[in-house]
Amino acid sequence: MDWLFLDLNSYFASVEQQLRPELRGKPIAVVPVDTDATCAIAASHEAKKFGIKTGTNIGEARRRCPELITVMAGHDVYVEFHHKVIEEVERHFPVQVICSIDEMACKLDAPRRRLDVAMDLARRIKQGLRERVGECLTCSIGLAPNRFLAKVASDMQKPDGLVVLLPEELPGRLLELELSDLCGIGRRMEPRLHACGIHTMEDLWAAERETLHRAWGGVGGDRFWHGLHGGATEDDVPPVHRTIGHSHVLAPELRTPPAAGIVARRLLLKAASRLRRMKYRARHLHLSVRTEDGPRCEAQAKFDEGSDSIVLARVLAELWQRVMKQARWQRVKKVSVTLFGLVAETCPQQLELFDASSESAPKEQREHLSHVMDKINQKFGRDSVVIGFTPDTVRTFSGTKIAFTRIPDREEFKE
């Protein structure tokens, strides 16, 4: 066994039940806003028995389960528990990769690769979480020869599972799964596999590497083939961030185009701050809005690689005008901003010979100013210094939110 993968079960909902004993044993859904028009961002084990899961519309969830209790998300608390979980896991063994707020993986060393030792480690981690983090927080752990299969194993038995996938037993229990059970096969990938004659896990296991290369349209298929068959993959090293973004479903009072535009700018500034903290620069900005009537409108722009908030805010302002013209200036239900085309700060940068931008300060000074703003906000609190006017209603619209990082070929995200 080379990898141990830990997946916290119904994480947001479990934290709420840990903090509020009156919610234990009851069907609850964690929501971003208090309305039946929103979707669940987490569901307790009891709610999942009614088919309620992440993404389920709350109105539909109440029809399935009239006793459903909705709880407003408390992201600050989830981050706090996330750090407690990491601290507890590392009492037993170092965490190699933090995959998301509720997933992490450990690359086992030689003494712990023996099956009995690895399983003892997994059981001690489970017990430690119950005793020192919270009795309501359970996790499913997968043990496998690579991180991909360890992730698959952790999904096979929930809640509180412990599943081992031995190399010599493959495909074994994998044949019990549906294609969509595997990370990387979403609603768009599955039809492409069908077009290649792959309809079952047995078909997928028997497929040649070249077939998956064709289905994925590139080396993603080769990586998937190696991962499925127990070989080392890119996932066995910490992932490279490909995009950084934030999205938000707006409360009714923030859905007018002017207010929604300010929310979009605030989301962008949060993403830009993360970009600088992770020591990246971006080359592209994508903006997407969904109106109350349903249509999604989007646009993107390319620019000289950078991370300063001043230029990014200007680019966003131009994109906002384009997108809102598409949307005919209707009320906005959801806003998403994404920075992509990322390059590490250590990479050589194309310097400006002539500064043709409208900003008077040189690029290096603008980026330095953005870093200074980050330090001020970190020391004195978020939004202590901002670009442009931000009303109090927008400053407090979201509090802390769990940020997302998109990974290619991964179409669905969960808490």
Side-chain angles (χ1 to χ4, degrees), residues 3 50 90 120 125 129 177 237 269 275 311 331 373:
W3 282 88
F50 293 87
E90 292 199 326
D120 178 66
I125 289 174
L129 290 176
L177 304 177
V237 297
L269 297 179
L275 184 76
V311 169
R331 285 171 59 84
M373 291 173 62

Side-chain angles (χ1 to χ4, degrees), residues 330-348:
Q330 298 179 65
R331 285 171 59 84
V332 177
K333 182 178 180 180
K334 182 179 180 181
V335 177
S336 302
V337 295
T338 307
L339 295 166
F340 63 104
L342 306 190
V343 292
E345 285 185 356
T346 53
C347 295

Side-chain angles (χ1 to χ4, degrees), residues 276-316:
R276 293 186 290 269
R277 189 166 64 249
M278 294 163 59
K279 300 187 183 303
Y280 280 94
R281 295 187 177 94
R283 293 172 174 162
H284 299 267
L285 172 61
H286 181 270
L287 170 66
S288 172
V289 303
R290 187 178 295 278
T291 64
E292 286 186 333
D293 293 337
R296 183 173 66 181
C297 304
E298 52 193 344
Q300 66 184 46
K302 182 178 181 180
F303 46 87
D304 291 339
E305 66 182 60
S307 63
D308 70 275
S309 294
I310 297 171
V311 169
L312 291 174
R314 175 180 59 79
V315 173
L316 178 70

Side-chain angles (χ1 to χ4, degrees), residues 282-391:
R283 293 172 174 162
H284 299 267
L285 172 61
H286 181 270
L287 170 66
S288 172
V289 303
R290 187 178 295 278
T291 64
E292 286 186 333
D293 293 337
R296 183 173 66 181
C297 304
E298 52 193 344
Q300 66 184 46
K302 182 178 181 180
F303 46 87
D304 291 339
E305 66 182 60
S307 63
D308 70 275
S309 294
I310 297 171
V311 169
L312 291 174
R314 175 180 59 79
V315 173
L316 178 70
E318 295 172 358
L319 288 180
W320 185 257
Q321 293 295 318
R322 287 165 52 187
V323 166
M324 291 312 298
K325 285 179 181 177
Q326 295 177 39
R328 299 181 181 178
W329 298 94
Q330 298 179 65
R331 285 171 59 84
V332 177
K333 182 178 180 180
K334 182 179 180 181
V335 177
S336 302
V337 295
T338 307
L339 295 166
F340 63 104
L342 306 190
V343 292
E345 285 185 356
T346 53
C347 295
Q349 184 180 8
Q350 177 65 46
L351 300 177
E352 298 172 344
L353 179 60
F354 302 104
D355 189 359
S357 70
S358 60
E359 288 73 32
S360 57
K363 186 174 186 178
E364 293 79 6
Q365 291 184 20
R366 296 195 307 269
E367 292 195 348
H368 176 69
L369 175 61
S370 296
H371 281 288
V372 171
M373 291 173 62
D374 292 340
K375 291 179 180 178
I376 292 173
N377 287 327
Q378 184 176 10
K379 182 175 181 179
F380 296 102
R382 180 182 295 160
D383 296 337
S384 296
V385 181
V386 296
I387 294 176
F389 172 68
T390 304

